[in-house]
């Protein structure tokens, strides 16, 4: 069953919010990293740097977690839209980006499943705020970092495909088009992140 236009609109808005939020988190990280490393990229204070990297990972995970359950539907809808687009409306990178997003989502789900098994195996006294619990969760966040970064970088393709599908003539269109949130120009570039 395909999502209603209203449901899909909400998913697209959540995706756009994730991209904006993750771009800001990554820009803040770049600023922090530039100020707290030497010219060779070595941190001045390794413990503080590691804590800040952990906070970055947790913030991006939290931002993505709001769309994680609808991410598969977003990719599937974009794949269906792409099949209906005329060839001249398709960006060659979109197929590759959809594949990247799908693979990243599969790996993120594995990270989450492994975290749940780990969490459930912890001693009952291990709760949020305890070192054992927080360290295990931080490991999940750090391991998920590459995939979260892929979603932050390639996720805009889903918005672009939807905009192209809205503009394409379709004799099958029976519902009004869904408005796609537009990202600011600064959010449409890939941010290189140092670890």
């Amino acid at each position: 069953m395909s999502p209603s236009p209203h449901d899909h609109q909400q998913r697209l808005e959540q995706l756009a919010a994730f991209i904006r939020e993750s771009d800001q988190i990554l820009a803040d990280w770049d600023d922090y990293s530039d100020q707290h490393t030497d010219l060779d990229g070595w941190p001045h204070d390794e413990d503080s740097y590691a804590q800040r990297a952990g906070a970055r990972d947790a913030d991006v995970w939290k931002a993505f977690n709001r769309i994680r359950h609808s991410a598969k539907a977003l990719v599937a809808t974009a794949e269906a839209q792409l099949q209906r687009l005329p060839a001249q409306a398709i960006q060659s990178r979109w197929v590759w980006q959809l594949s990247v997003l799908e693979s990243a989502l599969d790996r993120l789900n594995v990270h989450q499943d492994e975290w749940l098994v780990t969490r459930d195996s912890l001693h009952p006294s291990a709760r949020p705020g305890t070192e054992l619990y927080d360290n295990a969760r931080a490991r999940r966040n750090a391991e998920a970092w590459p995939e979260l970064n892929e979603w932050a970088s390639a996720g805009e393709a889903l918005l672009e495909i939807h905009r192209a599908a809205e503009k394409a003539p379709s004799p099958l269109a029976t519902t009004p088009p869904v408005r796609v949130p537009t990202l600011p120009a600064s959010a449409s570039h890939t941010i290189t992140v140092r670890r």
Side-chain angles (χ1 to χ4, degrees), residues 96-174:
W96 172 78
Q97 287 173 306
L98 290 178
S99 174
V100 165
L101 292 171
E102 198 163 28
S103 294
L105 182 60
D106 289 344
R107 292 189 309 271
L108 285 166
N109 288 332
V110 168
H111 293 309
Q112 178 64 2
D113 291 345
E114 289 172 350
W115 154 245
L116 294 175
V117 168
T118 299
R119 183 196 66 189
D120 293 345
S121 70
L122 294 174
H123 189 274
S125 65
R127 299 275 181 229
T130 63
E131 187 175 352
L132 188 60
Y133 185 97
D134 290 350
N135 286 345
R137 185 172 50 189
R139 246 188 329 277
R140 186 259 335 250
N141 296 342
E143 290 170 358
W145 171 253
E147 291 81 18
L148 294 170
N149 196 37
E150 286 175 344
W151 266 84
S153 300
E156 190 178 354
L158 301 172
L159 301 173
E160 293 170 346
I161 292 168
H162 185 79
R163 283 193 291 270
E166 281 185 308
K167 293 177 185 174
S170 173
L172 302 176
T174 58

Side-chain angles (χ1 to χ4, degrees), residues 56-70:
R56 175 207 60 198
D57 296 346
D59 290 345
V60 176
W61 177 271
K62 183 179 176 184
F64 182 76
N65 206 39
R66 290 186 218 117
I67 65 163
R68 188 170 56 86
H69 296 292
S70 63

